[in-house]
Amino acid sequence: MTTRHPLDLSALPPAQRPPAVEFDGLLAELTFNSKPIINNLTRIAGENTSVHTAIATVLELRLALAPPPLRIPLLYLLDSVLKNIGEPYIARVKSNLFRTFKKAYDGMAHEDAQRVRRMLKTWGPIFGSEMLTLLTKTADDLDAKSAQNSHAHRVMHAPNEPVGFLPPPTAARSALRVPHAATQLEGHPFAAAVVSSYCCRCHSSMCAPAGAAPAAAKGWPASWVAA
């Protein structure tokens, strides 16, 4: 397993780099499809719209760098932010959406690709039919490319092992605003869930009642949990 390398944040203004680094540290927890972690990260994004460019940039960069199995939870988080928080994230993400989606979808396993396609169908009201058509066509092209590569792979017997990530050290002081409400569940404190809990299955907030608290997200840094 290789080290989770720091991101190149040089394109961000200096004032936006500390919150970007800190959000990236929290994002290291999202290594599997976890509704509690997605809800908490969505809430943090909603509490920090003043640095939405930093947060969106971190998501885009990690989607580009992550191995295919780790892209699904990152895409679900992006989907949750778009649907639960909305602007200013929608406009920021849309400006770079084609490139972000293409890098994220490329090389995905068939089952993961089908999950992304189901999510993609819900993006029409967010980005419009023209963008949805473009992204769907991109997915079709990448699926065709993947089928060709898969055939060549079977012929050559080439290995294809995903690379994992290790979380970076957590910053001593918080550069982001974090919800102060905390709940105890199974002995683990965690930040309060978003008002509308995100459903990773149907990609909406309709499956959970408003204000429902998710199961605890274990392993949060102490500086991010309210006293």
Side-chain angles (χ1 to χ4, degrees), residues 16 18 144 160 189:
Q16 298 241 354
N160 183 19

Side-chain angles (χ1 to χ4, degrees), residues 34-54:
S34 168
K35 180 178 178 180
I37 297 178
I38 288 174
N39 284 340
N40 283 312
L41 288 172
T42 301
R43 178 63 179 268
I44 290 170
E47 292 286 335
N48 293 275
T49 55
S50 61
V51 291
H52 69 279
T53 297

Side-chain angles (χ1 to χ4, degrees), residues 4 23-31 166-168:
R4 187 176 186 264
F23 187 78
D24 186 44
L26 292 175
L27 203 59
E29 299 287 336
L30 192 58
T31 58
L166 293 177

Side-chain angles (χ1 to χ4, degrees), residues 52-183:
H52 69 279
T53 297
I55 291 174
T57 298
V58 167
L59 274 171
E60 290 170 350
L61 291 174
R62 283 301 174 196
L63 276 167
L65 293 173
L70 295 186
R71 296 176 198 164
I72 286 291
L74 291 172
L75 281 171
Y76 283 176
L77 171 59
L78 178 63
D79 187 61
S80 177
V81 169
L82 293 171
K83 291 171 181 173
N84 285 288
I85 309 303
E87 297 294 359
Y89 289 99
I90 291 176
R92 169 59 184 81
V93 170
K94 186 175 183 178
S95 67
N96 201 31
L97 183 59
F98 175 75
R99 184 169 63 177
T100 299
F101 178 82
K102 185 175 182 180
K103 288 183 177 180
Y105 191 88
D106 193 14
M108 277 191 172
H110 177 72
E111 290 185 0
D112 287 342
Q114 292 306 305
R115 293 186 181 99
V116 173
R117 281 181 175 272
R118 287 193 292 271
M119 180 188 71
L120 189 60
K121 291 179 180 179
T122 69
W123 281 7
I126 301 175
F127 297 117
S129 59
E130 184 177 350
M131 176 62 74
L132 183 61
T133 299
L134 176 62
L135 296 180
T136 302
K137 175 63 165 56
T138 300
D140 292 340
D141 293 343
L142 290 174
D143 281 347
K145 172 187 171 185
S146 178
Q148 293 176 352
N149 290 342
S150 178
H151 175 72
H153 172 80
R154 289 194 299 269
V155 172
M156 299 177 65
H157 304 286
N160 183 19
E161 298 180 358
V163 179
F165 284 156
L166 293 177
T170 303
R173 297 186 62 185
S174 173
L176 298 174
R177 293 179 57 203
V178 179
H180 293 290
T183 304

